[in-house]
Amino acid sequence: MQNDFPPCFERSTMTQDQIAMPASDDALADVAVVDYGLGNLRSATRGLERAGAAVEITDDREAILDADGVVLPGVGAFREGVENAGPFRDALVEVADSGTPLFGICLGMQMLLTDSEEADRAGQGDVHGLDLIPGTNVRFDQGQKVPHMGWNELNVEREHPLVEGVDGDYAYFVHSYYAVPDDEHAVVARTDYGTDFPSVVANEAGNVFGTQFHPEKSGETGLQILRNFVELCARQ
């Protein structure tokens, strides 16, 4: 279950301002953060910069395609996210097909899947995600408090470069829906909130992945994940 004050609370709540940011000349990789009108772009950008990336917030297709790695952030409803990101759908699919790392955060992770119950519950009809990781997003059971908000533990189930060094660490969550991939192997890590839900997922090729939690709000745990992402981008 959720743990509001985990054993690593002091370590994990170090603010991003307390972590030294590398000089721009020392950047390991060029990362594009997709600006589609949703998401905490400033926090994500600062976290990525501290992880060693040169970051461009962009709504330009060519900038997205030219980057060493792409981040799809997101806060809000599934339908709004999918509709806002519509102009970038082809570019994001091209990024995924090229083998370039594509990292979805929170709503951005849910948008990597095929669809979501959220639109059905809101009476908004069928809304289709990017379908880069086949599956659906479902709402927590009625017996669970939603949104799931606060610190909770990451239990790594299989190896993936994104989660190196973070098994058993805590991250910060804010969400009411969670991903259920069609392929169980797509689940990289799980978290317990009454039910074990996938908190990190990845496609078969390993270059498309997402976190249900916010690494940019997860102190040193999140910074480690962002470093892992930047290093993966640098190897491309």
Side-chain angles (χ1 to χ4, degrees), residues 188-208:
V188 175
R190 290 185 178 274
T191 295
D192 180 19
Y193 186 60
T195 185
D196 281 333
F197 69 89
S199 47
V200 182
V201 298
N203 69 343
E204 184 176 358
N207 70 303
V208 178

Side-chain angles (χ1 to χ4, degrees), residues 74-76 78 103-113 116 118 136-138 140 147-150 154 162 171-181 189-191 193 197-202 209-218 225:
V75 176
F78 186 81
F103 184 4
I105 295 176
C106 197
L107 175 63
M109 185 195 91
Q110 294 182 7
M111 289 165 56
L112 298 176
L113 274 72
S116 177
E118 186 173 6
T136 191
N137 298 284
V138 303
F140 283 112
H148 169 213
M149 181 182 297
L154 306 178
L162 190 69
Y172 189 78
F173 293 81
V174 183
H175 64 115
S176 299
Y177 291 79
Y178 62 90
V180 181
R190 290 185 178 274
T191 295
Y193 186 60
F197 69 89
S199 47
V200 182
V201 298
F209 40 80
T211 61
Q212 184 59 72
F213 55 90
H214 288 272
E216 76 278 11
K217 297 181 180 179
S218 298
I225 286 172

Side-chain angles (χ1 to χ4, degrees), residues 14-22 50-51 219-220 223 227:
M14 177 182 290
T15 66
Q16 296 293 347
D17 289 334
Q18 293 174 293
I19 304 169
M21 183 171 64
R50 284 169 171 77
E220 284 194 355
L223 182 61
R227 282 176 179 149

Side-chain angles (χ1 to χ4, degrees), residues 39-96:
N40 191 342
L41 303 184
R42 180 175 177 274
S43 292
T45 297
R46 290 175 65 83
L48 287 161
E49 288 174 340
R50 284 169 171 77
V55 183
E56 179 180 5
I57 298 173
T58 184
D59 60 1
D60 180 73
R61 171 186 169 84
E62 293 307 314
I64 294 170
L65 293 175
D66 289 343
D68 298 320
V70 177
V71 174
L72 183 65
V75 176
F78 186 81
R79 182 184 182 89
E80 185 180 12
V82 169
E83 290 181 346
N84 282 22
F88 310 104
R89 178 182 288 266
D90 290 345
L92 293 170
V93 171
E94 188 171 339
V95 166

